[in-house]
């Protein structure tokens, strides 16, 4: 579900009655907030812990999909885009570091590469399924509802994951 907002936010804004330009601005909001998330949550996670930082990030993903699901105003679309962008940028920063925390640095690059490749391949299905759901139902509600569900499940599973070892093997 992660690529869905990037691919469908302009069409979603149009469905809500806004112009394509206003929808495209939501993409820019996502990009700006991704930049902010990647620069701010990394240093914050050095103080509060990467796991706690990623929990914040995943909560923002849930909030973003809730805002998209319930959006009736352009402000809600932009707020969802901001939350989603911040999540996306901070996830890109924290995820490789968290892999190093759990598995050590020796194979962190290979593990991160494998996981990101798998996520990219599987992520290609999300926008297609969201488009299908929109085309068959006339609304993005089912697509964003699935984003809410999968984000809550991911957050729950991550919260249940034990803390990384204090000193991972290298």
């Amino acid at each position: 579900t992660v690529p869905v907002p990037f691919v469908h936010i302009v069409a979603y804004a149009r469905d809500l009655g806004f112009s394509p330009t206003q929808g495209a601005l939501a993409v820019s909001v996502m990009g700006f907030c991704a930049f902010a998330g990647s620069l701010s949550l990394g240093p914050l996670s050095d103080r509060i812990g990467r796991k706690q930082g990623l929990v914040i990030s995943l909560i923002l993903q849930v909030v973003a999909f809730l805002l998209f699901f319930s959006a009736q105003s352009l402000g809600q679309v932009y707020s969802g885009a901001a939350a989603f962008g911040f999540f996306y940028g901070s996830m890109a920063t924290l995820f490789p570091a968290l892999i190093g925390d759990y598995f050590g640095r020796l194979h962190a690059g290979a593990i991160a590469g494998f996981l990101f490749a798998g996520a990219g391949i599987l992520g290609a299905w999300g926008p297609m399924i969201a488009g299908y759901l929109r085309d068959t139902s006339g609304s993005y509600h089912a697509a964003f509802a699935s984003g809410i569900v999968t984000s809550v499940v991911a957050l729950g599973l991550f919260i249940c994951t034990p803390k990384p070892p204090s000193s991972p093997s290298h």
Side-chain angles (χ1 to χ4, degrees):
T1 58
V2 171
V4 169
F6 289 114
V7 174
H8 289 282
I9 196 70
V10 175
Y12 181 55
R14 278 194 3 233
D15 282 358
L16 293 174
F18 304 109
S19 73
T21 302
Q22 290 169 311
L25 182 56
V27 177
S28 297
V29 168
M30 278 190 261
F32 176 77
C33 290
F35 178 72
S38 67
L39 290 179
S40 62
L41 210 51
L44 178 63
S45 75
D46 289 339
R47 289 191 291 281
I48 66 172
R50 278 187 260 287
K51 184 168 181 177
Q52 291 81 354
L54 203 61
V55 166
I56 292 169
S57 179
L58 290 169
I59 288 170
L60 286 173
Q61 182 185 29
V62 173
V63 167
F65 278 114
L66 284 168
L67 285 165
F68 291 143
F69 179 82
S70 64
Q72 298 197 7
S73 71
L74 199 54
Q76 287 173 296
V77 173
Y78 292 157
S79 295
F84 187 83
F86 197 91
F87 145 77
Y88 188 79
S90 61
M91 177 68 79
T93 299
L94 295 176
F95 196 71
L98 197 63
I99 290 170
D101 289 351
Y102 274 94
F103 302 104
R105 289 184 278 164
L106 184 61
H107 300 291
I111 293 168
F114 177 79
L115 292 174
F116 278 122
I121 291 168
L122 294 174
W125 288 90
M128 183 184 69
I129 293 168
Y132 173 79
L133 292 171
R134 165 41 182 99
D135 289 348
T136 57
S137 71
S139 161
Y140 279 105
H141 278 102
F144 290 131
S146 69
I148 294 167
V149 170
T150 57
S151 299
V152 168
V153 168
L155 175 61
L157 289 172
F158 187 69
I159 288 172
C160 293
T161 302
K163 288 183 180 178
S166 311
S167 163
S169 60
H170 298 275

